[in-house]
Amino acid sequence: KPKMAVFASGNGSNFQAIADSIQRGELQAELALVVTDRPAAFVVERAEKLGVPSFAFLPSEYDSKQLYEEMLKEKLQSLGVEWIVLAGYMRLIGPVLLQAFENRIINIHPSVLPAFPGKDAIGQTLAAGAEFAGVTVHYVDAGMDTGKIIAQQSFAVGGRTREAVEKEIHEIEHQLYPATLQQLFNQ
Ligand code: GAR
């Protein structure tokens, strides 16, 4: 079974959806580690509850991205991690991890890319008055949400409130991410 590390900075509902999918036997993979750059993030509690090891680090304690990524690379390689799955990890991945995990770093983003990359994609979508909102799963490259697209799902915004749009996005994410990972791992 493919070994994954999930990187998350916040709530971790996508991490939860991935873990639940594994427990149901739908996603055939092993969750080796949760990595967070925010030690107080709720994802750490979720991991604890599920018995998944987690590792928190503070980027500010390192002199450069290169240095903390070298540290992460060693940790992940020592655990035999093959895939990095970003789930609300709010940092760009640098050359050290991109090279060590070439074509094996995946991200989920709450817009129909290439529209609205970067932070607060849902806010950007609504502020622009876009007709469609949605979710993209893509390979990670050095850019901000620019890697090759693997799967997308969209819906008409209509007259929905931000709250309603967010809810729909999360519902889509929680089924699309585990399903897409399973397809990817089976290739
Ligand atoms: C998700 O909506 C994910 O698509 C988004 O952060 C949220 C994390 O939620 N990611 C990005 O915006 C990446 N640029 P979660 O912590 O509950 O999984």
Side-chain angles (χ1 to χ4, degrees):
K1 278 193 286 188
K3 269 196 180 185
M4 312 180 278
V6 172
F7 283 33
S9 303
N11 176 20
S13 71
N14 279 284
F15 159 70
Q16 182 81 52
I18 288 166
D20 291 348
S21 177
I22 291 175
Q23 277 187 346
R24 288 195 302 270
E26 291 166 13
L27 174 56
Q28 270 123 39
E30 190 181 323
L31 264 173
L33 190 66
V34 169
V35 172
T36 187
D37 59 337
R38 293 201 189 142
F42 187 58
V43 70
V44 174
E45 276 175 55
R46 292 186 189 268
E48 211 163 289
K49 239 188 195 147
L50 289 159
V52 176
S54 67
F55 175 73
F57 73 103
L58 278 174
S60 59
E61 287 179 352
Y62 294 81
D63 283 336
S64 65
K65 186 184 290 264
Q66 183 185 340
L67 284 174
Y68 76 68
E69 287 202 344
E70 296 278 6
M71 173 277 296
L72 290 174
K73 176 178 130 177
E74 272 172 38
K75 189 164 239 12
L76 298 177
Q77 287 180 339
S78 76
L79 292 169
V81 168
E82 304 161 82
W83 294 86
I84 296 177
V85 173
L86 308 184
Y89 181 69
M90 298 313 228
R91 276 173 198 279
L92 284 176
I93 302 295
V96 173
L97 287 177
L98 285 170
Q99 255 175 50
F101 293 88
E102 210 189 339
N103 290 318
R104 286 174 175 260
I105 309 180
I106 312 297
N107 183 41
I108 191 160
H109 182 77
S111 78
V112 190
L113 290 172
F116 313 120
K119 286 198 175 138
D120 190 21
I122 299 174
Q124 292 186 56
T125 302
L126 294 174
E131 196 177 346
F132 292 96
V135 173
T136 303
V137 178
H138 64 94
Y139 287 101
V140 171
D141 64 14
M144 172 88 85
D145 305 315
T146 50
K148 189 177 165 232
I149 291 169
I150 304 166
Q152 274 183 323
Q153 204 169 312
S154 66
F155 60 92
V157 175
R160 279 187 252 207
T161 62
R162 178 176 175 128
E163 218 183 12
V165 170
E166 269 175 6
K167 183 163 181 275
E168 177 82 23
I169 291 217
H170 289 303
E171 279 172 15
I172 291 172
E173 288 186 328
H174 297 164
Q175 59 84 22
L176 185 67
Y177 212 4
T180 304
L181 292 172
Q182 177 59 19
Q183 274 181 5
L184 214 55
F185 296 160
N186 271 337
Q187 271 173 24

